[in-house]
Amino acid sequence: QVQFVESGGGLVQPGGSLRLSCTSSRVIFSIFEMGWYRQAPGIQRELVARINQAEGTTYADSVKGRFTISRDDSQNIMYLHMDSLKPDDTAVYYCNFEPPLDDWGQGTQVTVAS
């Protein structure tokens, strides 16, 4: 088991911001291509952002310009900073390799509502 641990979710109003964190005691993020994923009720899990070993990043069109993926190699933490949140961003957010292993953490719930 890889044991990714996601945190930082919560309830936020539209237009608000959150920063999600991903940690693992078994994976050194800087040597893998990693991603943030999300799954809303009734919708297939989707990749929203990825970061490669050289810290190059790509984003789903739906979050481009609003979300930023990054990592702190000194602490082995991966982040997803989310700005200008919309109700459609409501989902459980997960981190994993890109492409992902079938070994998911608990995720962290993000709810965007007034």
Side-chain angles (χ1 to χ4, degrees):
Q1 286 184 323
V2 175
Q3 297 182 334
F4 295 114
V5 179
E6 302 91 350
S7 62
L11 173 63
V12 62
Q13 292 187 342
S17 299
L18 282 174
R19 188 181 75 167
L20 308 183
S21 300
C22 172
T23 60
S24 173
S25 60
R26 300 192 178 199
V27 175
I28 299 174
F29 294 142
S30 61
I31 64 175
F32 296 98
E33 185 157 337
M34 301 296 301
W36 278 99
Y37 303 78
R38 68 185 180 188
Q39 186 166 26
I43 299 177
Q44 190 171 0
R45 186 154 27 205
E46 62 171 342
L47 174 69
V48 296
R50 79 178 91 193
I51 184 167
N52 66 24
Q53 294 89 329
E55 298 187 88
T57 59
T58 58
Y59 299 90
D61 287 345
S62 59
V63 307
K64 201 172 293 182
R66 301 187 298 120
F67 288 13
T68 303
I69 187 171
S70 63
R71 64 173 196 248
D72 181 335
D73 293 343
S74 67
Q75 298 191 63
N76 198 40
I77 301 175
M78 185 170 70
Y79 298 105
L80 184 68
H81 191 94
M82 306 184 294
D83 291 321
S84 303
L85 282 161
K86 305 175 181 179
D88 284 350
D89 296 318
T90 296
V92 180
Y93 285 71
Y94 303 87
C95 57
N96 206 318
F97 299 105
E98 163 50 22
L101 291 182
D102 190 19
D103 183 2
W104 298 91
Q106 294 295 309
T108 186
Q109 175 71 49
V110 172
T111 303
V112 185
S114 301

